[in-house]
């Protein structure tokens, strides 16, 4: 007996094509900011250029989503950020107090323009969440977000519309039986741990408790 295996999919360009459509060649994938396989950083560079030009005004905030100021689609603008996906990504890391992040341990992918629907952000290698790197007093919402995949958040949180949208996600997940409320989380945790309870006994016997 060797132990339990933690099987996961690698969220690269191929993964993204299988879930969101297109082929591996249609997607640019990043692992901690570096291109994966045949990917390149062109889409990332375009996104960061807009982020660094400022997101305080709503014209810029809408443009990075491929939209006009009134929210209608503008074919001349590339959609470079899936805002709802990004908010959930940041919220999970905030909630879990993820360590070794945001400058490291993240995957992000974007369909190449003009068919882009914005960068999708994936949680990765986050065993340090809710564990030895964080406790009830950990505040993971106030580090300097000027590098890594937290940089878009650092810019967009200056925008009132983004802050309101972020607050809506917080309301949905942390209140009224949301996915991050204590009893929902504990029930999910017990469901998973019950599945592996017997295997833990063998794991402990094999490797020491």
């Amino acid at each position: 007996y060797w132990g339990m295996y933690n099987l996961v999919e690698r969220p690269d360009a191929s993964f993204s094509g299988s879930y969101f459509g297109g082929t591996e060649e249609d997607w640019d994938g990043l692992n901690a900011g570096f291109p994966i396989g045949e990917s390149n950083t062109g889409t990332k560079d375009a996104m960061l250029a807009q982020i660094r030009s400022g997101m305080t005004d709503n014209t810029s905030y809408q443009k990075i989503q491929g939209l006009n100021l009134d929210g209608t689609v503008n074919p001349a603008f590339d959609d470079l950020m899936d805002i709802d996906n990004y908010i959930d990504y940041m919220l999970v890391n905030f909630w879990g107090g993820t360590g070794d992040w945001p400058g490291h341990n993240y995957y992000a992918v974007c369909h190449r323009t003009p068919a882009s629907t914005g960068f999708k952000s994936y949680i990765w290698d986050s065993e340090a969440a809710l564990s030895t790197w964080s406790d009830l007093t950990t505040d993971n919402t106030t580090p300097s977000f000027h590098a890594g995949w937290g940089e878009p958040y650092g810019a967009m949180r200056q925008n009132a519309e983004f802050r309101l949208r972020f607050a809506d996600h917080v309301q949905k997940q942390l209140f009224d039986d949301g996915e991050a409320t204590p009893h929902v989380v504990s029930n999910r945790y017990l469901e998973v741990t019950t599945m592996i309870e017997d295997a833990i006994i063998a794991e402990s016997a094999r490797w020491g408790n």
Side-chain angles (χ1 to χ4, degrees):
Y1 181 78
W2 192 250
M4 291 188 296
Y5 287 81
N6 178 26
L7 302 178
V8 297
E9 296 179 274
R10 187 172 297 277
D12 53 17
S14 177
F15 170 95
S16 301
S18 68
Y19 280 90
F20 295 109
T23 66
E24 178 179 357
E25 291 73 24
D26 294 328
W27 291 80
D28 283 327
L30 304 172
N31 180 357
F34 296 99
I36 309 166
E38 301 300 317
S39 299
N40 62 65
T41 61
T43 312
K44 169 195 171 187
D45 294 340
M47 184 273 290
L48 289 179
Q50 288 195 37
I51 285 291
R52 290 166 182 170
S53 69
M55 287 285 116
T56 304
D57 63 285
N58 285 334
T59 298
S60 300
Y61 175 64
Q62 294 288 66
K63 182 179 179 181
I64 204 168
Q65 301 174 71
L67 305 174
N68 293 309
L69 181 58
D70 63 2
T72 57
V73 174
N74 188 329
F77 297 160
D78 292 329
D79 183 354
L80 298 174
M81 180 59 71
D82 184 333
I83 298 293
D84 290 315
N85 166 268
Y86 187 70
I87 289 174
D88 285 337
Y89 167 83
M90 296 299 293
L91 185 56
V92 168
N93 283 293
F94 287 167
W95 180 85
T98 304
D100 202 14
W101 171 87
H104 186 50
N105 283 338
Y106 66 86
Y107 272 80
V109 298
C110 190
H111 196 291
R112 291 187 176 132
T113 56
S116 172
T117 55
F119 265 101
K120 318 291 183 187
S121 307
Y122 300 134
I123 303 292
W124 184 254
D125 199 15
S126 56
E127 296 94 326
L130 298 176
S131 66
T132 55
W133 286 22
S134 62
D135 57 29
L136 291 177
T137 65
T138 299
D139 181 359
N140 206 22
T141 66
T142 56
S144 175
F145 286 102
H146 299 296
W149 212 238
E151 184 175 356
Y153 173 78
M156 288 191 291
R157 68 177 177 175
Q158 307 303 317
N159 183 279
E161 290 295 323
F162 176 81
R163 293 197 300 271
L164 180 60
R165 199 157 167 180
F166 199 99
D168 287 341
H169 283 245
V170 170
Q171 178 69 38
K172 176 182 177 181
Q173 303 297 345
L174 273 71
F175 297 90
D176 302 323
D177 297 327
E179 293 298 324
T181 51
H183 71 281
V184 174
V185 172
S186 61
N187 287 340
R188 184 187 309 118
Y189 184 83
L190 287 173
E191 180 182 358
V192 173
T193 54
T194 298
M195 292 171 59
I196 63 172
E197 186 173 7
D198 290 342
I200 289 291
I201 298 171
E203 183 84 1
S204 298
R206 174 67 176 84
W207 297 106
N209 190 0

